[in-house]
Amino acid sequence: MKKFISTVKNIFSIEDLRVRIMNTIGFLIIFRLGSFIVLPGVDPSRLGEAPEGIFGLIDTFLGGAFSNASIFGLGIMPYISASIVLQLLTVGVPYFQKMQKEGESGRKRINQITRVLTILITVAQGIGYVSATIMPTGAVMVDPVLFMFSSLVLLSAGTMFCMWLGEKITEKGIGNGISMLIMIGIISRFPGAIIAEGLEKGTSGMLLLIIEAAVLFFVVVGVIALTEATRRIPVQYAKQVVGGKVYGGQRQYIPIKVNASGVMPIIFAQSLMFVPALIAQIWASENDIANYIGATFSDFTSWQYNLLFALMIILFTFFYTAITVNPEQIAEDMKRNGGFVPGIKPGAPTSEFIDGIISKITLPGSILLAAVAILPALAIISGVGGEFAQFYGGTSLLIMVGVIMDTLRQIESYLLMRHYEGMMKSGNVKNNPSNYQVA
């Protein structure tokens, strides 16, 4: 406790860090307040219960703004969708590949395209959101056409404002702004989930609640290990003599993450898992097989659902890792800077060596990621309440762990720059990128 209090004092004694933390808190409060402002023309008392499936996942990311018919009802999700689309285009389309290599000017153009695409996606998703989740509840108290138009304008403005908040957090706060907005939405549901679980268990079930909390603790530790696990590839740089001084000759490391794809495979797989049930509903009245498929894949605790979900996550992990980690580019950068992997020739052999390592660590990483994704379903089967079970794994836990660890690294770097003792006894947060120099 004494160590913790001393660290907090050191953090707030650094003016720049203190201002950034307060700015971040202020921006996050604004974001949370906006999630409770209901769209004009909606009677909140007539809104239905929290959605399930993919809509339930979005509602979790937005801290309930989706189910509240808020002006932040779509939040930052359209921007994330646009960013994913642009990321895929920079891999497969030569025009965007060239733009990405143009440096700062290219990044600015990509950002402009991302913003325009965000607006288009917001309008498209807004039409579906209003017509499929708000209007059927009977909560709309004004003319439907007028409500649709005003809602699309407000939802687009809300999404752009959320995007602006995220950029301001990154610029004037601490941590990655977009990720922070998603994380605060998820964390906002945690106190309510604990209270609901406690009320459900009652006084007679306190021991069981303590066991559930202990299991959650070890699950979080395991997810941190998965998120931070890396395979370090040694890189030796040749000595160079410039102006009578010797440069290089040092051994450095390239850290390759075991889970290089992050949460994206789970998001991709989750977005496709409603397709089997949707297709089955079309023929549900015609045959028993369609009825069986529809019922099976509508239940996310069934073994068939979780088996298909896990397989899709494994496949998407390999796919997303392949498009985000480029062994050829890494090998080319090493060769250009006079670096080489000991025992491996520069160029194509180095690229093949790195590709082989990525393939070997991606398989166990994808299996562990799939295991984390189905943990909430296993928790529900074991008797944990549905609201509390979502924190046992899946996208929510991975996002929270990733954002918190990234924020701790930034705080750690501020402390070390001012010659303060770090947040851990070792003096640094494990796998801090500042500890490694990537070629």
Side-chain angles (χ1 to χ4, degrees):
M1 180 60 70
K2 186 177 180 180
K3 165 73 174 176
F4 174 76
I5 294 174
S6 175
T7 302
V8 172
K9 287 182 179 179
N10 292 337
I11 289 173
F12 283 92
S13 66
I14 303 174
E15 183 178 359
D16 185 27
L17 181 57
R18 182 175 65 250
V19 170
R20 285 181 173 273
I21 292 175
M22 298 307 295
N23 286 342
T24 302
I25 294 174
F27 288 133
L28 292 178
I29 290 175
I30 293 173
F31 174 72
R32 288 302 300 152
L33 290 175
S35 65
F36 293 99
I37 302 176
V38 181
L39 289 169
V42 174
D43 182 2
S45 63
R46 296 190 179 186
L47 293 172
E49 297 180 355
E52 298 180 353
I54 186 65
F55 290 155
L57 182 66
I58 295 174
D59 193 46
T60 300
F61 289 164
L62 299 177
F66 188 88
S67 58
N68 292 339
S70 162
I71 57 173
F72 290 171
L74 297 178
I76 206 69
M77 303 311 293
Y79 174 73
I80 294 176
S81 301
S83 299
I84 293 173
V85 171
L86 263 296
Q87 189 175 20
L88 295 175
L89 289 176
T90 54
V91 174
V93 180
Y95 173 77
F96 289 97
Q97 289 178 347
K98 180 182 177 181
M99 192 183 301
Q100 189 181 35
K101 296 178 180 179
E102 291 178 354
E104 186 63 26
S105 62
R107 282 192 294 271
K108 287 182 178 179
R109 290 168 61 190
I110 291 177
N111 288 336
Q112 291 175 351
I113 296 174
T114 303
R115 285 178 169 81
V116 174
L117 185 58
T118 298
I119 296 176
L120 297 178
I121 292 177
T122 304
V123 172
Q125 291 183 353
I127 294 173
Y129 172 53
V130 173
S131 60
T133 63
I134 300 179
M135 287 186 173
T137 63
V140 179
M141 310 302 294
V142 296
D143 179 70
V145 177
L146 177 62
F147 176 74
M148 176 66 76
F149 176 77
S150 63
S151 296
L152 291 180
V153 173
L154 289 172
L155 288 171
S156 300
T159 294
M160 299 307 292
F161 183 73
C162 289
M163 188 172 67
W164 178 82
L165 280 178
E167 292 175 350
K168 286 301 177 183
I169 291 174
T170 303
E171 178 185 350
K172 299 182 179 298
I174 195 81
N176 181 282
I178 303 300
S179 300
M180 288 288 269
L181 294 181
I182 297 176
M183 185 198 70
I184 199 64
I186 296 171
I187 289 182
S188 66
R189 311 290 293 269
F190 189 62
I194 295 178
I195 294 173
E197 187 69 11
L199 293 175
E200 183 180 343
K201 293 292 186 291
T203 55
S204 60
M206 288 304 296
L207 178 60
L208 185 59
L209 182 61
I210 294 173
I211 294 174
E212 290 177 0
V215 172
L216 178 60
F217 171 78
F218 287 108
V219 169
V220 172
V221 172
V223 172
I224 292 175
L226 173 62
T227 304
E228 299 299 303
T230 57
R231 167 69 159 84
R232 300 198 307 173
I233 301 176
V235 179
Q236 185 73 37
Y237 285 90
K239 292 182 179 180
Q240 297 178 354
V241 179
V242 180
K245 294 183 179 180
V246 179
Y247 296 91
Q250 300 177 347
R251 172 167 289 195
Q252 300 171 357
Y253 297 92
I254 300 177
I256 305 294
K257 280 186 170 291
V258 173
N259 181 28
S261 57
V263 299
M264 296 311 301
I266 299 181
I267 294 177
F268 284 154
Q270 187 78 57
S271 64
L272 294 178
M273 283 307 297
F274 74 94
V275 174
L278 183 65
I279 295 176
Q281 287 179 358
I282 300 176
W283 294 282
S285 60
E286 299 182 7
N287 58 69
D288 295 334
I289 297 177
N291 289 326
Y292 174 77
I293 294 175
T296 299
F297 287 96
S298 296
D299 179 14
F300 74 96
T301 61
S302 66
W303 69 268
Q304 296 95 333
Y305 180 99
N306 285 282
L307 178 61
L308 179 60
F309 189 32
L311 291 175
M312 291 180 66
I313 289 172
I314 293 173
L315 292 175
F316 277 126
T317 300
F318 277 93
F319 168 75
Y320 201 78
T321 302
I323 66 174
T324 54
V325 183
N326 189 347
E328 294 182 0
Q329 185 66 41
I330 296 174
E332 182 181 338
D333 292 340
M334 287 171 51
K335 185 177 181 180
R336 186 185 307 115
N337 294 320
F340 61 93
V341 178
I344 307 296
K345 294 182 179 180
T350 299
S351 174
E352 294 174 0
F353 174 75
I354 296 175
D355 184 58
I357 289 178
I358 293 173
S359 300
K360 290 176 183 177
I361 65 175
T362 299
L363 178 59
S366 64
I367 295 174
L368 291 173
L369 187 63
V372 170
I374 64 176
L375 275 178
L378 298 178
I380 291 177
I381 294 173
S382 302
V384 181
E387 194 173 353
F388 189 52
Q390 68 179 348
F391 293 97
Y392 275 75
T395 317
S396 303
L397 186 57
L398 285 165
I399 290 176
M400 286 194 297
V401 168
V403 175
I404 291 173
M405 293 301 295
D406 180 59
T407 305
L408 289 177
R409 290 192 189 102
Q410 292 195 27
I411 295 175
E412 180 88 358
S413 65
Y414 274 95
L415 291 173
L416 296 179
M417 280 192 301
R418 298 300 180 95
H419 305 290
Y420 285 110
E421 187 177 354
M423 302 180 70
M424 302 296 178
K425 289 183 179 180
S426 61
N428 55 63
V429 177
K430 185 180 179 182
N431 287 331
N432 189 331
S434 63
N435 297 332
Y436 313 122
Q437 299 184 32
V438 183

